[in-house]
Amino acid sequence: MLKRTRTCGQLRLSDAGKKVVLAGWAHSYRDHGNLVFIDLRDREGLTQLVFDPEIQPQAHELARTVRCEWVIAARGVVRPRGEGLENPKLATGQVEVVVGEFEILNKAKTPPFEIELVKGQAEKTNEEFRLANRYIDLRRPEMQQKLRVRHRAAKITRDYFDQLGFWEIETPMLAKSTPEGARDFLVPSRLHGNSFYALPQSPQLFKQILMVGGVEKYFQIVRCFRDEDPRADRQAEFTQIDVEMSFADTDDVIGVNENLVAKIFKEILDVDVATPMRRMSYDEAVADYGVDRPDLRFDMKLKDISAIARQSDFKVFKSVLEGGGIVKGVCAPGGGRYTRSDIEKTLTDFVADYGAKGLAWCKVRRENDELSLAGGTSKFFSPDLQRQLIERFEAKDNDLLLLVADTEQIANKALAPLRCKLAGELKLYDPGSFEFVWIVDFPLFEWNEGEGRYDSLHHPFTAPVPEDLGKLETDPAGIRSQAYDIVVNGSEIGGGSIRIHQPPVQQKVFDLLNISREQAEQRFGFFLKALEYGAPPHGGIAFGLDRLVMLLTGTDNIRDVIAFPKTQRGQCLLTDAPSEVDQKQLDELNLRAQRHSHTTRQGPDPQEQRPQPNDA
RNA sequence: GGGGCCGUAGCUCAAUUGGUUAGAGCAUCGGACUGUCGAUCCGAAGGUUGAGGGUUCGAGUCCCUUCGGCCUCGCCA
């Protein structure tokens, strides 16, 4: 086998005259009868091979048989291309390799779709197909670029933490199920009948126990599993950069980790991220943006206009306000271009998805040098109230006011995505820019109406702000936590907290979460015990590596940054997982498959109707 | 569990109000060609319109069911 000496992205004019060996895939071929050209591709680039029958008749004959995606190797001499023959589209376009010795390393079937060099082409191919033939899809330069960025982000992370004295420590994949939070993936135990491991939703308790174990500085790039429905930015199986530090407070954790983020953006994108990053309280984020992960690339703050709406003649507003709701809205600069049908159909349907029962609107217009409202619900507002609304939103001519009257929760839930949608459509920001913010001062608990108890906003191990400890008995909802999320462009890429390290505080929190002593003992007993043996104050964070790489590569599809992702229904189209298993495997695990009607294969094949001993 | 969009040749897409034998580009196969680089030129082959059922003289098109993909609500401490 010819051993390659150079890559296909490497050769330049200065290499002219050198003897080289290249290997790769035949990207395309151009057969002129006499001269044959093959563009040879490896992951570094493309180099043109020339086969001249007058120089090497055998190599030329062989080259004529080559087809796309055959794996080939060639030895030859680097030659400057003649004048006018350069290809400015290729980094190696100034030269070509005149082949003397040629070898076909492997033939290939015609690929099911073409491997395009042009960015954006991958999206044009049916994704189902790309996933089923991932090995072809991954040959596209744009996919390889994403894999490369992912690798580099991981490499920078490892080097960064190593230099700061953090140790990368692995934690178990076969772990204990903790029913809080997301649904667990369960793994049956063969040696312990009727018992199950759970795949970790995160290494949370292990990393805290590592702190109790005196490790002091831990990190891990680790796979986590949550059995919930996927989304465009969410897979059941995902990767975290997991970090934990002892004797650290919020500023320590934020400082170490924002510097990592800045380093990654600088080294990969050459983007300068200003540190320390901006911080914003949870309350401010929710009030101004309706969510705890605001996109700060554009302004468009939400405004509570309940006080103004109360004075209007609009019955819908008044009845919502009387019922304890609010009227909140957003001003879309230049939104006057939306037609009445855009608003009353498209935008109203949009907010309806989030539970909003309607969307009130007014357009802002200038008449005789005076701004006023027109259309929609403007008629319910007196000229003075109109002036107040315009002032409140700092609205300009041709803006659009959109108002939701509902509970505060629903109004925010609807307006936050509406704000982002409008800003995107109205092109109010540079999509290539990045705005970082730490969200801090989260409430420790949120009230769960349905269950009649408090839920942790983050998780039950998050420490309260020390000054608020007194409220544990009196005002649990008013307790702030020492939690922090890092948000970029409206995407939460990481979050963490200072943890509770004192058993009595942990116990009190469990009480408020309505977790009984018995339950706590059964689920977290091992952890509570560890806390009693000298747990240092500690805290940490976890980043979503997938989302980070999505931002770095400019994709909004998480499957693009995962080599072998799963579909919306959790299937791997390449390997066909999940699949049924042999009865023998089930027997060994003492498991029986329960075949409900909805899981039984359809299709009345009488052969399939053999007795099922497992039928319930 | 709910809502929405989509499925036509290997790939990307067409196909008038339901109307003749479902077309085109690329890819594939055969041929021609000394400088191409999205090679070009000539020719060929390529289809259970995701599947099943229905309405109709007639269905890619309309209706129902179903499979699959994507987006989304719920869910994701």
Side-chain angles (χ1 to χ4, degrees), chain A residues 312-379:
Chain A
S312 76
D313 302 321
F314 195 27
K315 281 190 184 136
V316 173
F317 284 180
K318 302 187 92 157
S319 74
V320 166
L321 288 166
E322 278 161 23
I326 65 167
V327 180
K328 200 166 177 176
V330 66
C331 172
R337 74 163 213 218
Y338 286 102
T339 65
R340 181 174 165 171
S341 132
D342 288 338
I343 300 164
E344 296 189 351
K345 182 87 186 75
T346 314
L347 297 182
T348 302
D349 284 354
F350 181 81
V351 295
D353 281 346
Y354 301 91
K357 288 177 274 302
L359 184 65
W361 61 277
C362 311
K363 287 185 177 178
V364 182
R365 66 174 176 198
R366 182 187 297 279
E367 258 177 23
N368 306 326
D369 239 23
E370 190 98 357
L371 289 174
S372 64
L373 299 180
T377 44
S378 58
K379 59 177 177 254

Coordinates of all heavy atoms in Angstrom, one line a residue, chain A residues 312-379:
Chain A
S312 N -58.4 51.6 30.4 CA -59.0 51.5 29.1 C -60.4 51.1 29.1 O -61.0 50.7 30.1 CB -58.2 50.5 28.2 OG -58.5 49.2 28.6
D313 N -61.1 51.0 27.9 CA -62.4 50.6 27.8 C -62.5 49.2 27.3 O -63.6 48.7 26.9 CB -63.2 51.5 26.8 CG -63.2 52.9 27.3 OD1 -63.3 53.2 28.5 OD2 -63.0 53.8 26.4
F314 N -61.4 48.5 27.3 CA -61.4 47.1 26.8 C -61.7 46.1 27.8 O -61.0 45.9 28.8 CB -59.9 46.8 26.2 CG -59.9 45.6 25.3 CD1 -61.0 45.2 24.5 CD2 -58.7 44.9 25.2 CE1 -60.9 44.2 23.7 CE2 -58.6 43.8 24.3 CZ -59.7 43.5 23.6
K315 N -62.9 45.5 27.6 CA -63.5 44.6 28.6 C -62.5 43.4 28.9 O -62.4 42.9 30.1 CB -64.8 44.1 28.2 CG -65.9 45.2 28.4 CD -67.3 44.6 28.2 CE -68.3 45.7 28.4 NZ -69.4 45.6 27.3
V316 N -61.9 42.9 27.9 CA -61.1 41.7 28.0 C -59.9 42.0 29.0 O -59.7 41.3 30.0 CB -60.5 41.3 26.7 CG1 -59.4 40.2 26.9 CG2 -61.5 40.8 25.7
F317 N -59.3 43.2 28.9 CA -58.2 43.6 29.8 C -58.8 43.8 31.2 O -58.2 43.3 32.1 CB -57.6 44.9 29.3 CG -56.7 44.8 28.1 CD1 -56.1 46.0 27.6 CD2 -56.5 43.6 27.5 CE1 -55.2 45.9 26.5 CE2 -55.6 43.5 26.4 CZ -55.0 44.6 25.9
K318 N -59.9 44.4 31.3 CA -60.4 44.7 32.6 C -60.8 43.5 33.4 O -60.5 43.3 34.6 CB -61.6 45.7 32.5 CG -61.3 47.0 31.8 CD -62.4 48.0 31.8 CE -62.2 48.9 33.0 NZ -62.9 50.2 32.8
S319 N -61.4 42.5 32.7 CA -61.8 41.3 33.4 C -60.5 40.5 33.8 O -60.5 39.9 34.9 CB -62.7 40.5 32.6 OG -62.1 39.8 31.5
V320 N -59.5 40.4 32.9 CA -58.3 39.7 33.3 C -57.7 40.4 34.5 O -57.2 39.7 35.4 CB -57.3 39.7 32.1 CG1 -55.9 39.2 32.6 CG2 -57.8 38.7 31.0
L321 N -57.6 41.7 34.5 CA -57.0 42.4 35.6 C -57.8 42.2 36.9 O -57.2 42.0 38.0 CB -56.9 43.9 35.3 CG -55.9 44.2 34.2 CD1 -56.1 45.6 33.7 CD2 -54.5 44.0 34.8
E322 N -59.1 42.2 36.8 CA -59.9 41.9 38.0 C -59.7 40.5 38.5 O -59.8 40.3 39.7 CB -61.4 42.1 37.7 CG -61.8 43.6 37.7 CD -63.1 43.9 37.0 OE1 -63.9 42.9 36.8 OE2 -63.3 45.0 36.5
G323 N -59.4 39.6 37.6 CA -59.1 38.2 38.0 C -57.7 38.0 38.5 O -57.3 36.9 38.7
G324 N -56.9 39.1 38.7 CA -55.6 38.9 39.2 C -54.5 38.7 38.2 O -53.4 38.5 38.5
G325 N -54.9 38.8 36.9 CA -53.9 38.7 35.8 C -53.2 40.0 35.6 O -53.4 41.0 36.3
I326 N -52.4 40.0 34.5 CA -51.7 41.2 34.1 C -51.9 41.5 32.6 O -52.3 40.6 31.9 CB -50.2 41.1 34.4 CG1 -49.5 40.1 33.6 CG2 -50.0 40.9 35.9 CD1 -48.0 40.1 33.6
V327 N -51.6 42.7 32.2 CA -51.5 43.0 30.8 C -50.0 43.4 30.5 O -49.5 44.3 31.1 CB -52.4 44.1 30.3 CG1 -52.3 44.3 28.8 CG2 -53.9 43.7 30.7
K328 N -49.4 42.6 29.6 CA -48.0 42.8 29.4 C -47.8 42.8 27.9 O -48.6 42.2 27.1 CB -47.2 41.7 30.0 CG -45.7 42.0 30.2 CD -45.1 41.0 31.2 CE -43.6 41.3 31.3 NZ -43.0 40.4 32.3
G329 N -46.8 43.5 27.4 CA -46.7 43.6 25.9 C -45.3 43.9 25.5 O -44.3 44.0 26.3
V330 N -45.1 43.9 24.2 CA -43.8 44.2 23.6 C -44.0 45.1 22.4 O -45.1 45.1 21.8 CB -43.1 42.8 23.2 CG1 -43.9 42.2 22.1 CG2 -41.7 43.1 22.8
C331 N -43.0 45.9 22.2 CA -43.1 46.8 21.0 C -42.1 46.3 20.0 O -40.9 46.2 20.2 CB -42.7 48.2 21.4 SG -42.5 49.4 20.1
A332 N -42.6 46.0 18.8 CA -41.8 45.5 17.7 C -41.4 46.7 16.8 O -42.3 47.2 16.1 CB -42.5 44.5 16.9
P333 N -40.1 47.1 16.8 CA -39.7 48.3 16.0 C -39.9 47.9 14.5 O -39.4 46.9 14.1 CB -38.3 48.5 16.3 CG -38.1 47.8 17.7 CD -39.1 46.7 17.7
G334 N -40.6 48.8 13.8 CA -40.8 48.5 12.4 C -41.9 47.4 12.1 O -42.1 47.0 11.0
G335 N -42.6 47.0 13.2 CA -43.6 46.0 13.1 C -44.8 46.4 12.3 O -45.7 45.6 12.1
G336 N -44.9 47.7 12.0 CA -46.0 48.2 11.2 C -46.2 47.5 9.9 O -47.2 47.5 9.3
R337 N -45.1 46.8 9.4 CA -45.2 46.1 8.1 C -46.0 44.8 8.2 O -46.4 44.3 7.2 CB -43.8 45.8 7.6 CG -43.1 44.6 8.4 CD -42.0 44.1 7.5 NE -41.8 42.7 7.7 CZ -40.6 42.1 7.8 NH1 -39.5 42.8 7.7 NH2 -40.5 40.8 7.9
Y338 N -46.3 44.4 9.5 CA -47.2 43.2 9.6 C -48.6 43.6 9.2 O -49.1 44.6 9.6 CB -47.2 42.6 11.0 CG -45.9 41.9 11.4 CD1 -44.9 42.5 12.1 CD2 -45.7 40.6 10.9 CE1 -43.8 41.8 12.5 CE2 -44.6 39.9 11.3 CZ -43.6 40.5 12.0 OH -42.5 39.8 12.3
T339 N -49.2 42.7 8.4 CA -50.6 43.0 8.0 C -51.5 42.6 9.1 O -51.1 41.8 10.0 CB -51.0 42.3 6.7 OG1 -51.0 40.9 7.0 CG2 -50.1 42.5 5.6
R340 N -52.7 43.0 9.1 CA -53.7 42.6 10.1 C -53.9 41.1 10.1 O -54.0 40.5 11.2 CB -55.1 43.3 9.7 CG -56.1 42.9 10.7 CD -57.4 43.7 10.4 NE -58.5 43.1 11.1 CZ -59.7 43.6 11.2 NH1 -59.9 44.8 10.6 NH2 -60.6 43.0 11.9
S341 N -53.8 40.5 8.9 CA -53.9 39.0 8.9 C -52.7 38.3 9.5 O -52.8 37.3 10.1 CB -54.2 38.6 7.5 OG -53.4 37.5 7.1
D342 N -51.5 38.9 9.2 CA -50.3 38.4 9.9 C -50.5 38.3 11.4 O -50.2 37.4 12.1 CB -49.1 39.3 9.6 CG -48.6 39.3 8.2 OD1 -48.9 38.3 7.5 OD2 -47.9 40.2 7.7
I343 N -51.0 39.4 11.9 CA -51.1 39.6 13.4 C -52.2 38.7 13.9 O -52.0 37.9 14.8 CB -51.4 41.0 13.8 CG1 -50.3 41.9 13.3 CG2 -51.6 41.1 15.3 CD1 -50.6 43.4 13.3
E344 N -53.4 38.8 13.3 CA -54.6 38.1 13.9 C -54.6 36.7 13.5 O -55.3 35.9 14.2 CB -55.9 38.8 13.4 CG -55.9 40.3 13.9 CD -57.2 41.0 13.7 OE1 -58.1 40.4 13.0 OE2 -57.4 42.1 14.2
K345 N -53.8 36.2 12.6 CA -53.8 34.8 12.3 C -52.4 34.2 12.8 O -52.4 33.5 13.8 CB -53.9 34.6 10.8 CG -53.9 33.1 10.4 CD -55.3 32.5 10.4 CE -55.3 31.0 10.2 NZ -54.8 30.2 11.3
T346 N -51.4 34.6 12.1 CA -50.1 34.0 12.4 C -49.6 34.2 13.8 O -49.2 33.3 14.5 CB -49.0 34.5 11.3 OG1 -49.6 34.4 10.0 CG2 -47.8 33.6 11.4
L347 N -49.5 35.5 14.2 CA -48.9 35.8 15.5 C -49.9 35.4 16.6 O -49.4 34.9 17.6 CB -48.7 37.3 15.6 CG -47.6 37.9 14.6 CD1 -47.4 39.4 14.8 CD2 -46.3 37.1 14.7
T348 N -51.2 35.5 16.4 CA -52.1 35.0 17.4 C -52.0 33.5 17.6 O -52.0 33.0 18.7 CB -53.5 35.5 17.0 OG1 -53.5 36.9 16.9 CG2 -54.5 35.1 18.1
D349 N -51.9 32.8 16.5 CA -51.8 31.3 16.6 C -50.5 31.0 17.3 O -50.4 30.0 18.1 CB -51.7 30.7 15.2 CG -53.1 30.6 14.6 OD1 -54.1 31.0 15.2 OD2 -53.2 30.2 13.4
F350 N -49.4 31.8 17.0 CA -48.1 31.6 17.7 C -48.2 31.7 19.2 O -47.8 30.8 19.9 CB -47.1 32.6 17.1 CG -45.7 32.4 17.7 CD1 -44.9 31.5 17.2 CD2 -45.3 33.2 18.7 CE1 -43.6 31.3 17.7 CE2 -44.0 33.1 19.2 CZ -43.1 32.1 18.7
V351 N -48.9 32.7 19.7 CA -48.9 32.9 21.1 C -49.9 31.9 21.7 O -49.8 31.5 22.9 CB -49.3 34.3 21.6 CG1 -48.2 35.3 21.2 CG2 -50.6 34.8 21.1
A352 N -50.9 31.4 20.9 CA -51.9 30.5 21.4 C -51.2 29.2 21.8 O -51.6 28.5 22.7 CB -52.9 30.2 20.4
D353 N -50.1 28.8 21.1 CA -49.4 27.6 21.5 C -48.9 27.6 22.9 O -48.6 26.6 23.5 CB -48.1 27.4 20.6 CG -48.5 26.9 19.2 OD1 -49.6 26.4 19.1 OD2 -47.7 26.9 18.3
Y354 N -48.7 28.8 23.4 CA -48.2 29.0 24.8 C -49.3 29.2 25.8 O -49.1 29.6 26.9 CB -47.1 30.1 24.8 CG -46.0 29.8 23.9 CD1 -46.0 30.2 22.6 CD2 -44.9 29.0 24.3 CE1 -45.0 29.9 21.7 CE2 -43.9 28.6 23.5 CZ -43.9 29.1 22.2 OH -42.9 28.8 21.3
G355 N -50.5 29.1 25.3 CA -51.6 29.2 26.2 C -52.3 30.6 26.3 O -53.3 30.8 26.9
A356 N -51.8 31.6 25.5 CA -52.4 32.9 25.5 C -53.7 32.8 24.7 O -53.8 32.2 23.7 CB -51.5 33.9 24.8
K357 N -54.7 33.4 25.3 CA -56.1 33.3 24.7 C -56.3 34.3 23.6 O -57.2 34.2 22.8 CB -57.1 33.4 25.8 CG -57.2 32.1 26.6 CD -58.2 32.2 27.8 CE -57.6 32.9 29.0 NZ -56.4 32.2 29.6
G358 N -55.4 35.3 23.5 CA -55.5 36.3 22.5 C -54.3 37.2 22.4 O -53.4 37.0 23.2
L359 N -54.3 38.0 21.4 CA -53.2 38.9 21.2 C -53.7 40.2 20.7 O -54.3 40.4 19.6 CB -52.2 38.3 20.1 CG -50.9 39.1 19.9 CD1 -50.0 39.1 21.1 CD2 -50.2 38.5 18.7
A360 N -53.7 41.2 21.6 CA -54.2 42.5 21.3 C -53.0 43.3 20.6 O -51.9 43.1 20.8 CB -54.6 43.3 22.5
W361 N -53.4 44.2 19.7 CA -52.4 44.9 18.9 C -52.8 46.3 18.6 O -54.0 46.6 18.5 CB -52.0 44.2 17.6 CG -53.2 44.0 16.7 CD1 -54.1 43.1 16.7 CD2 -53.4 44.9 15.5 NE1 -55.0 43.3 15.7 CE2 -54.6 44.4 14.9 CE3 -52.8 46.0 15.0 CZ2 -55.2 44.9 13.8 CZ3 -53.4 46.6 13.8 CH2 -54.5 46.1 13.3
C362 N -51.8 47.2 18.4 CA -52.0 48.6 17.9 C -50.8 48.9 17.1 O -49.7 48.5 17.5 CB -52.1 49.6 19.0 SG -53.2 49.2 20.4
K363 N -51.0 49.6 16.0 CA -49.9 50.1 15.3 C -49.6 51.6 15.7 O -50.6 52.3 16.0 CB -50.2 50.1 13.8 CG -50.1 48.6 13.2 CD -50.2 48.5 11.7 CE -50.1 47.1 11.3 NZ -50.3 46.9 9.9
V364 N -48.4 52.0 15.6 CA -48.0 53.3 16.0 C -47.8 54.1 14.7 O -47.2 53.6 13.8 CB -46.7 53.4 16.8 CG1 -46.3 54.8 17.2 CG2 -46.8 52.4 18.0
R365 N -48.4 55.3 14.6 CA -48.2 56.1 13.4 C -48.1 57.6 13.8 O -48.5 58.0 14.8 CB -49.4 55.9 12.5 CG -50.7 56.5 13.1 CD -51.8 56.4 12.1 NE -53.0 56.9 12.8 CZ -54.3 56.7 12.3 NH1 -54.5 56.0 11.2 NH2 -55.3 57.1 13.0
R366 N -47.5 58.2 12.9 CA -47.2 59.7 13.1 C -48.2 60.5 12.2 O -48.3 60.2 11.0 CB -45.8 60.0 12.7 CG -45.4 61.5 12.9 CD -44.0 61.8 12.4 NE -43.0 61.0 13.0 CZ -42.4 61.3 14.2 NH1 -42.8 62.4 14.8 NH2 -41.5 60.6 14.7
E367 N -48.9 61.4 12.9 CA -49.7 62.3 12.1 C -49.6 63.7 12.6 O -49.7 63.9 13.8 CB -51.2 61.9 12.3 CG -51.8 61.1 11.1 CD -53.2 60.6 11.4 OE1 -53.9 61.2 12.3 OE2 -53.6 59.6 10.8
N368 N -49.3 64.6 11.8 CA -49.0 66.0 12.2 C -48.0 66.1 13.3 O -48.2 66.7 14.3 CB -50.3 66.7 12.6 CG -51.4 66.5 11.6 OD1 -51.1 66.6 10.4 ND2 -52.7 66.4 12.0
D369 N -46.9 65.3 13.1 CA -45.8 65.3 14.1 C -46.2 64.8 15.4 O -45.6 65.1 16.4 CB -45.3 66.8 14.2 CG -43.8 66.8 13.9 OD1 -43.4 65.9 13.1 OD2 -43.1 67.7 14.4
E370 N -47.3 64.1 15.5 CA -47.8 63.5 16.7 C -48.0 62.0 16.6 O -48.6 61.5 15.6 CB -49.2 64.2 17.0 CG -49.7 63.9 18.4 CD -49.4 65.1 19.4 OE1 -48.7 66.0 18.9 OE2 -49.8 65.0 20.5
L371 N -47.4 61.3 17.6 CA -47.6 59.8 17.5 C -48.9 59.4 18.1 O -49.3 59.9 19.2 CB -46.5 59.1 18.3 CG -45.1 59.2 17.6 CD1 -44.0 58.6 18.5 CD2 -45.1 58.5 16.3
S372 N -49.6 58.5 17.5 CA -50.8 57.9 18.0 C -51.0 56.5 17.6 O -50.1 56.0 16.9 CB -52.0 58.7 17.5 OG -52.2 58.5 16.1
L373 N -52.0 55.8 18.2 CA -52.2 54.4 17.9 C -53.3 54.2 16.9 O -54.2 55.0 16.9 CB -52.5 53.6 19.2 CG -51.4 53.7 20.3 CD1 -51.9 52.9 21.5 CD2 -50.1 53.1 19.8
A374 N -53.2 53.2 16.1 CA -54.2 52.9 15.1 C -54.4 51.4 15.0 O -53.5 50.6 15.2 CB -53.8 53.5 13.8
G375 N -55.6 51.1 14.6 CA -55.9 49.7 14.4 C -56.1 48.8 15.6 O -55.8 49.3 16.7
G376 N -56.6 47.6 15.5 CA -56.6 46.7 16.6 C -57.4 47.2 17.8 O -58.5 47.7 17.6
T377 N -56.8 47.2 18.9 CA -57.5 47.6 20.1 C -57.2 49.1 20.5 O -57.6 49.5 21.6 CB -57.0 46.8 21.3 OG1 -55.5 46.7 21.2 CG2 -57.5 45.4 21.3
S378 N -56.7 49.9 19.5 CA -56.4 51.3 19.8 C -57.6 52.0 20.2 O -57.5 53.0 21.0 CB -55.6 51.9 18.7 OG -56.5 51.8 17.5
K379 N -58.7 51.6 19.6 CA -60.0 52.4 19.9 C -60.4 52.4 21.3 O -61.2 53.2 21.8 CB -61.1 51.9 19.0 CG -61.4 50.4 19.2 CD -62.6 50.0 18.3 CE -62.9 48.6 18.4 NZ -62.5 47.8 17.2

